[in-house]
Amino acid sequence: MERSCDEDLLEAVLCLGAGGGADVGPLASRLHLPPEDLLLLIGDAVGAGTLTRSGSTVDLTEKGREIAVRIDRRHRTLQCFLTEMLGMDPSSASDEACQLEHRVSDETISRLGTYMARPGGNPECPRRHHGQRSGVRTLQTFDEGTVLRVSTIRQWGHYTRLLDLGILPGEEISIRRRLGNGAVVVRVKGCDIALSPEIAASISVEQVR
């Protein structure tokens, strides 16, 4: 199996499995592969000791999880860099990150993360202008019940935490409650999440309805 195919498979199992394994059907859909081709890839991964299979469900071994977590981190870091620093559309940035994540080194990823975490960043950084486009406002400026789409997350330290909550560029969220201290409760993928005033102020959004 080619390295990129192997890593894409492991990353997909990590994202879909949520600790309980992933079914072949959703995996084939996510990877845009016919089931028969996917089963061949799974067989190679089982042979390599990165996956286990029980019926139609596959799960990561410890070795496979280490690889998947590393690739997922690369993808998220690259997507953040392309959207936040270069102003790319989130969907295009994700597609580009898929291509780059297999070739970039862990050292490069660490350096990108450190660069984006610098206080203030580069005065000429495209992120500063991208995050201040006309029509783009923060979560704190909208009323309860408004449906929004995340545009950018302007602080890298917040970005990593919000990714874990499912809040990332391109995602639709709705405002459930605005609290007196500036905090905001939002609904993301069916779950209500409370965000502190500082974090809410770092999320730029565009109104959907």
Side-chain angles (χ1 to χ4, degrees):
M1 187 190 322
E2 293 184 5
R3 178 186 174 190
S4 61
C5 295
D6 182 23
E7 292 175 343
D8 283 341
L9 173 59
L10 299 180
E11 184 184 11
V13 174
L14 177 71
C15 294
L16 294 175
D23 190 77
V24 170
L27 278 173
S29 178
R30 183 183 180 94
L31 295 171
H32 306 292
L33 288 174
E36 57 271 20
D37 290 347
L38 175 60
L39 291 176
L40 290 175
L41 294 180
I42 290 173
D44 288 344
V46 170
T50 55
L51 284 181
T52 60
R53 180 183 175 190
S54 177
S56 63
T57 301
V58 295
D59 204 355
L60 295 162
T61 64
E62 182 177 349
K63 175 183 176 181
R65 183 168 296 277
E66 289 178 359
I67 296 172
V69 168
R70 183 171 71 248
I71 296 301
D72 186 58
R73 177 173 179 262
R74 290 181 184 181
H75 183 104
R76 292 169 185 264
T77 302
L78 288 166
Q79 183 179 4
C80 176
F81 178 78
L82 294 170
T83 55
E84 296 284 289
M85 310 300 283
L86 302 186
M88 288 182 64
D89 172 80
S91 178
S92 299
S94 181
D95 291 342
E96 191 73 17
C98 284
Q99 300 299 316
L100 297 173
E101 65 192 29
H102 306 293
R103 298 172 176 83
V104 68
S105 68
D106 291 332
E107 179 183 0
T108 297
I109 291 298
S110 294
R111 289 179 179 271
L112 280 176
T114 299
Y115 175 74
M116 289 186 285
R118 292 184 308 167
N122 183 343
E124 300 302 322
C125 173
R127 175 174 58 173
R128 294 170 63 90
H129 306 293
H130 181 60
Q132 297 173 5
R133 293 175 301 169
S134 174
V136 177
R137 297 148 57 186
T138 70
L139 273 178
Q140 294 172 310
T141 63
F142 287 92
D143 296 329
E144 295 177 359
T146 308
V147 178
L148 307 163
R149 179 174 292 108
V150 177
S151 175
T152 59
I153 298 168
R154 293 176 290 158
Q155 296 187 35
W156 172 252
H158 294 162
Y159 196 97
T160 53
R161 176 186 173 189
L162 291 170
L163 282 179
D164 292 337
L165 298 174
I167 301 175
L168 67 162
E171 188 68 41
E172 284 194 9
I173 61 178
S174 61
I175 297 181
R176 301 284 286 174
R177 294 195 305 278
R178 291 169 51 88
L179 307 180
N181 63 354
V184 179
V185 178
V186 299
R187 172 153 290 190
V188 183
K189 297 180 178 177
C191 298
D192 288 348
I193 299 170
L195 303 174
S196 70
E198 181 185 12
I199 292 180
S202 75
I203 303 173
S204 295
V205 292
E206 297 175 320
Q207 185 169 353
V208 176
R209 57 183 183 274

